[in-house]
Amino acid sequence: MGDPLRVAIAEDSAVLRDGLVQLLVDRGFVITGAVADPESLRRSIERERPDVAVVDIRMPPTFTDEGLRAAIELRRLHPGLGILLFSQYIETRYAAELLADDAAGIGYLLKDRVADVSDFVEALVRVASGGTALDPEVVTQLLGASRRTDSISMLSGREKEVLSLMAEGRSNAAIATALVISDGAVEKHVANIFSKLDLPVSQSDHRRVLAVLRYLDS
Amino acid sequence: MIRVDEPGPEPGAQETIGPAPAPEHQGPAESSQLRPLLTQMFDVVVRQRSERTKEIARRIWHEPWAKRTWSEFFFTVLGAPMAGLGLAFVAFTMGAGALLTITFVGLFLIALGVHGARVIGGIHRNLARSLLDEEIEDPEPFVPRHGMFGWLQSTLRDRTGWRSLAYILVKVPLAALGITLGFAAWWDAFFCVTFPIWGGSGNHVAVFGLPELLFGPGFFSGGQAGFWHGLGVFFTGILFFFAAPWAVRVVVHLDRLVMRVLLAPDVLTARVRSLEQARTQTVDSSAATLRRIERDLHDGTQAQLVALAMRLGMAKEKLAGGDERDLQQVRQLVDDAHRGAKEAIIELRDLARGIHPPALDVGLEGALSTLTARSTVPTALSLSLTNRPTPAIEAIAYFCVAELLANVAQHSQASRATVTCTDNAGWLRVVVRDDGRGGAELSRLGSSSSGLTGLTDRVHAVDGRLDIMSPPRGPTVVTVDLPLHA
């Protein structure tokens, strides 16, 4: 990594905020601001222009979806900013709202994921560089709720695994590592999935995510 | 029947008083004892009785001209057509409705009858209010369900409507009684008193109303109409004139009693409504409680555990790296994780206690003594219960005491407090008292701690009461009354 990534954190639980700062500093990130509410986050981002923001969905004052609202607004104001939403629960509706127009530079993870430090950091880096990081839980829920059960059932077990990882926003290389198969094998599975589901082939990972999600959600 | 006594000493009394000499002339010691005694006796026997008699006479004399009498008379007169129309309406709707029950039209006619009865009942109620000053509360408004069949169903189940209908039916004999007894008394009085004018000169006899039944023609003069007969009828008229207000009053009083039962808000409906309100409060307050618990879990324990997992994750990666340099950091991470785990345990324990205090399992006494012992303001507990309340009541009592002691500690600046717990006749009474600065109000306390408003909701939910007495400069006494079993 050339320059260290600059990260803003908005999380109202002090114990978690401190932990995140500790973790990210330890991994060589620069923390531009660690705040507890959406308004402070807005100001901090205005001032410091970080690469990516980690945003808790439930924050003061109403403790409902302030973080989500703030994220949608921040994306409008700062198109280059990556946003990793961070939540105790997964609400598919939030994911749909967040990915309404674009999946580039968007992440949505359960807070538990920080326990697997490397995965979490990898997801954060991916979001910062314009990729997508969706929690496996989101993908599971989307797959479970999808009405395309017929076409999904045509996929082989391995292809379903690849589809899930693809939907999480992982690159072919990452999928290969996760499943312990070769890059070529992944490419072959991806091509099969796209032809079986009759999806347009797209080059960038986040476009691919969007295509898969739209497909599952429609 | 009632003797109009002239006030003043009766002969007997005078005899006793007469010989009693003035004290300054003779035997001062003897007569000074006797005189007050005699005066007292005179008061009791003569003056007081004559006062009462005078009062009765005064009332009899005034009653025919009193506003109340004429209001009641008017009410009685109006009652007759009202009763007739009401009966006709009920008879038509119910009769025709019953005949047509096979079709829906019949049901609708019956429903119309019930609903109309409600309206007529309202008219009777307003009449009683304006003419008799009879303050009967309005029953709850009619709220039909949606749609035609909803209306039908609600109307047929409308207890107020059915009770009004019952009143309309009972009103019929009442009105008949009012006319024959009350109205007729005035009627007779009028015709008897005026008899000498219109019938006294010739051979006419009294041939009307009750006097005719009682006396027959020429009663006062041996079957002969004439001067004495006319005079007799005239004085009978005077008698009726003073008796008529009372005859009307008796009937109207009967009517009042019936109205209070049948036209007042239905006790059962009112009870259902208050229960519905209490249920809504309970549902709301339990939803609020659940939300609070979720919030506490989310902000407290869950966050602690995530942070804990995160630190352990970092430590694990550093250990896997096997770099000697990281060992110090690993130690630090494990240290933090250890502390976090202990904090999470404490938070969970407090949270669990907030949901259900385990101390309550052994009874209110143990739970309250823990609570009072933990209070920052020195608190004495006195508890004497002959019956054990149900667990739900114990829990409410416990949370009341917990919340009230927390308020004492936060707001009262008290130096000591007492908690008293007694039971009497199926009720549990909890009194929390402090010697603080007072001035506590439910609204103020409620704004500073939403807990207390939540408590009143919980107390009301079981038909209990929560009273705050807190004058400025104290002391503050909060009394909670709860049924032992709910």
Side-chain angles (χ1 to χ4, degrees):
Chain A
M1 276 193 286
D3 280 340
L5 275 179
R6 293 157 50 76
V7 186
I9 298 170
E11 161 67 60
D12 63 312
S13 158
V15 57
L16 219 68
R17 190 170 61 234
D18 296 348
L20 275 173
V21 171
Q22 191 186 353
L23 183 148
L24 293 175
V25 167
D26 187 65
R27 284 302 185 112
F29 292 87
V30 171
I31 307 300
T32 62
V35 297
D37 63 274
E39 195 42 50
S40 313
L41 175 69
R42 244 168 251 138
R43 280 201 301 273
S44 166
I45 285 173
E46 206 64 53
R47 204 170 49 235
E48 303 285 346
R49 302 289 170 148
D51 302 305
V52 62
V54 178
V55 183
D56 183 11
I57 286 192
R58 221 160 89 158
M59 276 192 291
T62 67
F63 297 95
T64 51
D65 57 356
E66 279 80 7
L68 182 74
R69 306 269 143 254
I72 290 169
E73 194 199 331
L74 285 172
R75 274 182 72 72
R76 199 166 44 73
L77 295 172
H78 311 280
L81 175 74
I83 292 177
L84 178 62
L85 277 163
F86 208 41
S87 169
Q88 209 75 262
Y89 313 102
I90 287 299
E91 301 282 349
T92 317
R93 185 176 64 82
Y94 289 166
E97 216 169 319
L98 205 60
L99 302 169
D101 36 40
D102 195 2
I106 284 288
Y108 182 22
L109 289 186
L110 271 179
K111 286 185 178 175
D112 318 8
R113 305 301 170 199
V114 289
D116 296 316
V117 181
S118 295
D119 282 358
F120 173 70
V121 169
E122 191 200 308
L124 187 63
V125 172
R126 201 158 73 223
V127 169
S129 51
T132 312
L134 280 189
D135 199 277
E137 186 66 31
V138 181
V139 178
T140 312
Q141 284 189 12
L142 281 174
L143 276 173
S146 177
R147 272 164 290 159
R148 307 282 186 113
T149 40
D150 290 353
S151 35
I152 291 168
S153 65
M154 294 192 312
L155 301 178
S156 72
R158 190 55 113 183
E159 282 164 354
K160 277 183 201 158
E161 283 176 344
V162 172
L163 178 75
S164 296
L165 290 168
M166 217 159 63
E168 285 172 28
R170 304 205 193 209
S171 64
N172 282 1
I175 295 172
T177 318
L179 296 179
V180 205
I181 50 176
S182 71
D183 283 9
V186 174
E187 274 168 36
K188 212 179 75 200
H189 285 309
V190 171
N192 280 343
I193 293 168
F194 273 72
S195 74
K196 279 185 184 174
L197 300 186
D198 201 16
L199 281 171
V201 179
S202 33
Q203 290 308 308
S204 70
D205 294 339
H206 68 83
R207 277 188 207 289
R208 199 167 70 174
V209 173
L210 215 54
V212 172
L213 293 181
R214 291 246 165 85
Y215 174 79
L216 292 178
D217 205 26
S218 60
Chain B
M1 192 161 62
I2 294 157
R3 205 153 46 91
V4 187
D5 279 353
E6 274 301 309
E10 280 183 359
Q14 213 153 23
E15 266 169 23
T16 356
I17 283 174
E24 53 265 33
H25 295 307
Q26 315 162 359
E30 210 177 303
S31 61
S32 68
Q33 282 175 341
L34 192 63
R35 187 136 176 197
L37 189 72
L38 287 175
T39 318
Q40 211 178 344
M41 278 176 67
F42 173 78
D43 271 0
V44 170
V45 175
V46 179
R47 194 170 291 159
Q48 270 189 13
R49 205 179 64 192
S50 75
E51 284 294 314
R52 206 165 51 229
T53 319
K54 223 163 64 172
E55 172 62 23
I56 291 170
R58 205 183 54 78
R59 282 206 64 184
I60 289 176
W61 175 252
H62 282 292
E63 215 54 45
W65 289 280
K67 178 173 172 282
R68 179 182 174 187
T69 300
W70 291 99
S71 299
E72 287 180 346
F73 175 73
F74 199 52
F75 180 81
T76 308
V77 173
L78 266 181
M82 286 283 295
L85 289 175
L87 180 66
F89 175 76
V90 169
F92 170 71
T93 50
M94 292 293 138
L99 284 176
L100 295 170
T101 21
I102 287 180
T103 64
F104 262 116
V105 182
L107 276 181
F108 268 104
L109 270 173
I110 291 176
L112 194 71
V114 176
H115 195 64
R118 190 187 239 271
V119 175
I120 295 172
I123 297 173
H124 278 294
R125 195 165 42 243
N126 284 325
L127 218 56
R129 206 175 286 161
S130 50
L131 288 176
L132 306 181
D133 287 333
E134 184 68 46
E135 281 310 324
I136 301 172
E137 246 182 273
D138 277 329
E140 78 294 345
F142 179 62
V143 187
R145 287 192 210 166
H146 237 52
M148 194 169 68
F149 288 99
W151 182 86
L152 186 69
Q153 205 184 11
S154 320
T155 313
L156 289 177
R157 283 183 180 173
D158 180 19
R159 291 177 55 92
T160 304
W162 285 105
R163 286 162 68 244
S164 301
L165 197 135
Y167 176 74
I168 291 171
L169 294 181
V170 176
K171 180 74 181 175
V172 175
L174 277 174
L177 202 65
I179 289 301
T180 52
L181 210 66
F183 181 71
W186 282 110
W187 176 270
D188 289 339
F190 177 75
F191 282 104
C192 285
V193 168
T194 54
F195 180 76
I197 300 167
W198 58 267
S201 55
N203 289 327
H204 296 287
V205 287
V207 281
F208 42 78
L210 206 57
E212 185 193 6
L213 279 177
L214 288 178
F215 311 131
F219 176 83
F220 293 106
S221 49
Q224 286 281 296
F227 174 75
W228 290 110
H229 178 69
L231 202 64
V233 170
F234 174 76
F235 278 107
T236 309
I238 297 293
L239 203 71
F240 270 97
F241 180 72
F242 286 104
W246 304 98
V248 173
R249 187 146 308 162
V250 167
V251 181
V252 167
H253 185 71
L254 266 177
D255 206 335
R256 284 178 199 263
L257 293 180
V258 176
M259 277 193 286
R260 279 174 211 164
V261 174
L262 291 177
L263 294 185
D266 183 21
V267 182
L268 207 62
T269 311
R271 177 82 187 131
V272 166
R273 204 155 26 131
S274 89
L275 282 179
E276 275 173 352
Q277 271 171 2
R279 188 187 59 184
T280 313
Q281 278 177 351
T282 315
V283 170
D284 287 352
S285 99
S286 58
T289 308
L290 285 178
R291 181 158 165 70
R292 185 176 54 76
I293 292 170
E294 190 272 346
R295 174 82 55 81
D296 287 350
L297 275 173
H298 177 272
D299 295 348
T301 320
Q302 271 182 322
Q304 285 279 9
L305 287 176
V306 169
L308 177 64
M310 185 180 67
R311 294 216 162 87
L312 288 175
M314 285 168 75
K316 198 177 97 182
E317 293 206 343
K318 286 190 190 301
L319 283 175
D323 195 335
E324 284 296 324
R325 206 159 40 83
D326 284 345
L327 209 60
Q328 182 56 35
Q329 279 183 304
V330 170
R331 197 171 289 135
Q332 183 62 41
L333 283 167
V334 171
D335 245 23
D336 289 348
H338 186 226
R339 191 169 347 104
K342 288 196 284 190
E343 280 170 15
I345 292 168
I346 293 169
E347 273 183 21
L348 258 182
R349 186 170 47 224
D350 287 347
L351 188 67
R353 186 156 44 209
I355 297 169
H356 174 79
L360 267 180
D361 292 343
V362 293
L364 203 51
E365 181 161 18
L368 289 184
S369 58
T370 312
L371 209 53
T372 46
R374 242 197 293 152
S375 170
T376 49
V377 176
T379 305
L381 171 72
S382 105
L383 184 137
S384 66
L385 291 181
T386 47
N387 293 298
R388 189 172 172 177
T390 49
I393 297 300
E394 282 189 337
I396 295 174
Y398 174 88
F399 284 115
C400 284
V401 173
E403 190 66 38
L404 292 170
L405 284 182
N407 273 317
V408 169
Q410 275 175 30
H411 308 291
S412 73
Q413 298 169 352
S415 62
R416 53 187 53 252
T418 56
V419 175
T420 324
C421 213
T422 50
D423 71 323
N424 180 28
W427 284 81
L428 173 69
R429 169 164 283 194
V430 182
V431 181
V432 177
R433 186 188 173 94
D434 70 66
D435 62 354
R437 59 180 172 156
E441 290 164 27
L442 193 56
S443 55
R444 202 171 59 77
L445 287 173
S447 63
S448 66
S449 66
S450 59
L452 201 61
T453 31
L455 276 190
T456 43
D457 283 352
R458 281 169 100 157
V459 170
H460 287 158
V462 292
D463 283 340
R465 281 171 57 84
L466 190 148
D467 290 312
I468 298 179
M469 288 226 316
S470 185
R473 293 198 297 282
T476 299
V477 182
V478 182
T479 309
V480 182
D481 286 315
L482 299 165
L484 279 176
H485 307 287

